[in-house]
Amino acid sequence: MIDTTIDVINKLGLHARASGKLIEVTSKFRSSIQIGKGDKLVDAKNIMSLLMLGAGKGTTLRLVIDGADEDKALEEIQTLFAAKFYEAE
């Protein structure tokens, strides 16, 4: 199991388009992927749950991944966040 944090660095935060891109990544994996603030974790494969987080720029999110492909899932999620969800700034 991986339990780490990730920072939201894109200008608009985890809005609808960014959440959709995150789901494109998370839904490829069999591992359980949860994201949230502190103990309030939500399913990172559910768009409504992601939008309800209200994670704006500068938010530090907790990421919990558990499963056979957890390492690859973490790598792809970190890449997506680092690339600012491939949005123009």
Side-chain angles (χ1 to χ4, degrees):
M1 184 171 87
I2 297 169
D3 190 339
T4 189
T5 60
I6 194 161
D7 294 323
V8 179
I9 60 172
N10 63 311
K11 185 167 61 172
L12 299 174
L14 202 53
H15 59 93
R17 190 175 307 116
S19 294
K21 288 181 180 182
L22 179 57
I23 287 172
E24 285 178 22
V25 171
T26 59
S27 62
K28 295 191 302 186
F29 298 99
R30 296 186 66 168
S31 293
S32 163
I33 305 173
Q34 294 186 304
I35 195 166
K37 300 174 186 174
D39 291 333
K40 182 185 184 284
L41 296 175
V42 299
D43 181 1
K45 298 177 185 182
N46 181 306
I47 192 144
M48 290 307 296
S49 296
L50 292 176
L51 293 173
M52 296 298 289
L53 284 175
K57 182 177 182 176
T59 303
T60 297
L61 295 172
R62 182 174 169 213
L63 187 59
V64 179
I65 309 171
D66 189 20
D69 52 5
E70 62 191 26
D71 293 322
K72 184 66 176 159
L74 175 63
E75 179 184 324
E76 288 199 27
I77 292 167
Q78 287 174 328
T79 298
L80 181 65
F81 273 73
K84 299 181 181 179
F85 298 91
Y86 304 103
E87 296 173 350
E89 283 293 320

